[in-house]
Amino acid sequence: MNSITTLGALKASNYRAKSVKEELRANLIDKIKKRETVFEGVIGFEDTVLPDIERAVLSRHNILLLGLRGQAKTRIARLLINLLDEYIPVVAGSELNDDPLNPISRYALDLIAEMGDDTPVEWLHRSARYVEKLATPDVSVADLIGDVDPIKAATLKMAYSDERVIHFGLVPRAHRSIFVINELPDLQARIQVSLFNILQEGDIQIRGFKLRLPLDIQFLFTANPEDYTNRGSIITPLKDRIESQILTHYPKTIEIARSITQQEARLTAEQRAQVYVPDLLQILLEQIAFEARDSEFVDSKSGVSARLTISGYENLVSTAERRLLINRESKTIARLTDFWGVVPAITGKVELVYEGEQEGPYLVAINLLGKSLKKLFLDHFPDPDKLRKGRDRDPYGVIRAWFSGGNAVNLLNDMSDKDYRAALDGVAGLRKFVESNLEQVQGDEQYLYMELVLHGLAEFQVISKDMLEAKLSFRDTLADMLGSDDLFDEDDE
């Protein structure tokens, strides 16, 4: 069909024009029958959001995606173009993507009246049939719908009453396309009113012109529930005209969240080859996001975006890479101490309530990391608080005794792998404890779990953990309280 270049040839080909919603519906039906993936790369919505969107497309509905930040709303909207026909014919030179068989603009009507079957036809790729606008308070009706262009009137020497002086806005130019408005509540109420006719009747009117353009557009809007109260609202008559409102959500499980992070993280081939990130650390990173969504310090109405873990994973790898470069090593494995490099990705991605602001973003981030470490520790090792005194053998006894003897462990942020392993091996009973509880863990990953034991015991206040600018220091709690490593020597005197 792409070889057709005139209106006459298009008519002879028996081409049948379809509305954009009919296109989406027909191509979705075809993909479902062939069991093809419709929304490539969208993870975790297979049983919830995506079926709702498919039902809306089959119903030829305009759609509102309602959800908190970082829930793939815009990604889903952009993937809808894959349901459009690859190419459609348009009148050559038309700014409104006029269908040669059903033109609506003055330009196309005049051209066809003049040239008839010789009217030139072009083929428009589906990638050019997607229009996206971020709603901001300064958006005007002229931006969306259009207005009289005095410069055009002067240049063409036309009266303002001639419709050819109209400069069309984004919506008319999206004729036969998908039009997306992100953050719809940010549009002023009077601007939202201008969309009424387009959604209900499919036409627009500009500046009192006796002009009715029967536009063919698939609308998709996105909104954050927070916006209904904080920055604006979707006015009720407009919401009533959007046929399907679909709620998005955050990943329901750690595994789904991990898949999203691994898919979206932007790492170089060099980083992937040089830095190994164990499953334990990937789980810990996702756990931080889950803890943040439940935290009393974080505004739940604002949400915690999936971008937190994506940025956090990139920071984690970069922290390990920087350490590798400093120590001139060829490969390394990420550590728990590398998570101090993840803190900037956490502080910038959470909206704090008043109590959180009082604590400060940094302390809230450390609190979230601590809670996540505690949960991860309990997933692998016995709960120190549940050991019955005098009745249960204390599996941490040797480790406790080593710290009680005035010993301490210092883990520097940029410590070489050799020195890191030596520091952990120096803790009496630590390696043996990990081996007895996790027989399947071998090699370098053992050191990761050995470090986890120290963090876990610190969270349960069995030992203390001091965070300095360039290192972590683990020591006996009592010695830390009194500020002396020689406490027991002093008692002996």
Side-chain angles (χ1 to χ4, degrees):
M1 296 288 285
N2 294 14
S3 60
I4 294 173
T5 58
T6 64
L7 176 57
L10 185 66
K11 290 177 179 176
S13 71
N14 294 321
Y15 170 79
R16 187 183 72 83
K18 295 181 288 187
S19 73
V20 64
K21 291 180 179 177
E22 286 174 342
E23 273 184 57
L24 294 168
R25 174 182 161 82
N27 291 324
L28 175 60
I29 289 172
D30 186 56
K31 283 184 175 289
I32 291 175
K33 285 181 177 179
K34 293 179 180 177
R35 299 187 181 279
E36 295 179 1
T37 301
V38 179
F39 297 95
E40 194 71 45
V42 177
I43 303 171
F45 288 170
E46 294 84 357
D47 300 321
T48 52
V49 178
L50 298 185
D52 284 341
I53 292 173
E54 291 174 1
R55 283 187 279 268
V57 171
L58 293 173
S59 299
R60 293 172 295 180
H61 284 177
N62 294 306
I63 300 169
L64 168 63
L65 291 178
L66 186 63
L68 297 172
R69 66 179 75 175
Q71 292 186 351
K73 299 186 293 296
T74 303
R75 172 183 281 253
I76 291 170
R78 291 174 179 174
L79 288 173
L80 274 178
I81 64 170
N82 296 324
L83 293 178
L84 294 171
D85 291 344
E86 188 171 7
Y87 287 95
I88 60 168
V90 297
V91 175
S94 165
E95 60 182 333
L96 299 190
N97 301 330
D98 281 279
D99 180 353
L101 302 179
N102 186 25
I104 64 170
S105 71
R106 173 54 53 193
Y107 168 85
L109 290 167
D110 289 348
L111 186 63
I112 292 172
E114 177 188 342
M115 301 187 67
D117 286 350
D118 292 330
T119 301
V121 170
E122 295 176 338
W123 291 85
L124 188 68
H125 191 259
R126 61 186 169 205
S127 61
R129 299 171 61 200
Y130 177 87
V131 181
E132 184 176 300
K133 177 64 178 173
L134 175 63
T136 54
D138 63 336
V139 172
S140 66
V141 174
D143 294 332
L144 290 181
I145 310 301
D147 204 349
V148 172
D149 186 348
I151 297 176
K152 183 186 286 188
T155 303
L156 300 177
K157 297 181 180 179
M158 294 178 179
Y160 281 1
S161 59
D162 192 319
E163 69 180 69
R164 286 174 292 179
V165 304
I166 293 174
H167 172 76
F168 292 107
L170 288 172
V171 173
R173 290 172 184 271
H175 178 51
R176 303 174 74 200
S177 303
I178 297 170
F179 189 87
V180 177
I181 298 182
N182 281 319
E183 307 301 340
L184 179 60
D186 281 353
L187 275 187
Q188 294 182 39
R190 64 185 180 83
I191 311 301
Q192 293 184 37
V193 170
S194 69
L195 299 174
F196 284 3
N197 251 39
I198 306 167
L199 289 170
Q200 190 67 43
E201 313 297 339
D203 63 47
I204 61 167
Q205 298 178 38
I206 297 175
R207 283 284 180 176
F209 276 96
K210 292 182 179 179
L211 170 73
R212 296 183 72 85
L213 291 179
L215 297 173
D216 174 25
I217 301 174
Q218 168 69 56
F219 280 97
L220 190 145
F221 306 96
T222 71
N224 187 321
E226 175 194 13
D227 295 339
Y228 286 130
T229 54
N230 284 10
R231 294 203 299 266
S233 64
I234 301 175
I235 60 176
T236 305
L238 178 60
K239 207 160 104 169
D240 184 56
R241 284 169 167 80
I242 303 171
E243 296 95 337
S244 286
Q245 176 175 289
I246 298 170
L247 303 179
T248 58
H249 57 80
Y250 287 121
K252 295 182 181 294
T253 67
I254 293 286
E255 284 307 310
I256 292 173
R258 280 181 64 189
S259 299
I260 294 171
T261 301
Q262 294 303 305
Q263 174 183 276
E264 299 299 320
R266 295 167 298 178
L267 302 179
T268 66
E270 192 177 33
Q271 286 177 315
R272 294 184 188 277
Q274 292 179 337
V275 179
Y276 171 61
V277 181
D279 289 348
L280 182 75
L281 298 189
Q282 295 180 30
I283 293 170
L284 174 61
L285 184 60
E286 304 302 337
Q287 187 61 45
I288 291 173
F290 276 67
E291 291 290 343
R293 289 169 193 144
D294 292 333
S295 172
E296 61 183 338
F297 298 127
V298 177
D299 186 357
S300 60
K301 293 184 296 182
S302 177
V304 178
S305 168
R307 287 182 280 270
L308 183 151
T309 52
I310 296 167
S311 299
Y313 188 78
E314 293 165 352
N315 266 14
L316 177 64
V317 172
S318 296
T319 303
E321 181 186 30
R322 178 179 177 275
R323 171 169 49 75
L324 171 146
L325 294 171
I326 289 172
N327 293 298
R328 298 184 180 182
E329 296 168 334
S330 58
K331 289 187 177 182
T332 191
I333 180 172
R335 311 168 185 163
L336 290 171
T337 45
D338 292 331
F339 266 78
W340 309 126
V342 175
V343 170
I346 302 172
T347 55
K349 299 290 188 298
V350 292
E351 193 82 22
L352 303 180
V353 296
Y354 176 76
E355 291 80 3
E357 294 289 355
Q358 294 295 103
E359 289 286 319
Y362 177 78
L363 288 181
V364 169
I366 296 300
N367 175 268
L368 294 173
L369 177 57
K371 286 186 175 181
S372 302
L373 282 166
K374 189 173 185 178
K375 184 178 188 311
L376 208 60
F377 172 77
L378 292 177
D379 287 342
H380 295 88
F381 303 110
D383 184 344
D385 284 347
K386 291 187 177 179
L387 298 173
R388 294 172 296 180
K389 292 183 179 180
R391 299 183 62 184
D392 290 336
R393 184 183 66 83
D394 184 1
Y396 304 103
V398 176
I399 301 172
R400 287 178 192 258
W402 187 83
F403 280 102
S404 296
N407 297 300
V409 181
N410 294 315
L411 300 179
L412 278 65
N413 293 351
D414 298 326
M415 182 180 276
S416 69
D417 285 344
K418 180 181 178 181
D419 291 341
Y420 171 76
R421 291 192 290 266
L424 292 174
D425 280 331
V427 181
L430 184 56
R431 173 185 285 277
K432 186 175 181 181
F433 173 77
V434 171
E435 288 175 343
S436 62
N437 283 273
L438 300 171
E439 296 178 1
Q440 73 279 12
V441 177
Q442 300 294 326
D444 288 343
E445 283 199 44
Q446 280 188 335
Y447 291 97
L448 179 61
Y449 285 91
M450 289 164 70
E451 186 184 352
L452 177 62
V453 172
L454 298 183
H455 285 280
L457 292 178
E459 291 301 321
F460 281 97
Q461 299 182 345
V462 175
I463 59 176
S464 72
K465 176 170 66 175
D466 294 324
M467 290 176 285
L468 305 176
E469 286 187 359
K471 71 176 182 179
L472 276 175
S473 180
F474 296 94
R475 57 197 300 187
D476 180 65
T477 303
L478 187 57
D480 186 59
M481 289 171 60
L482 298 179
S484 171
D485 288 328
D486 301 320
L487 171 70
F488 290 92
D489 293 338
E490 188 178 14
D491 286 347
D492 291 338
E493 292 177 5

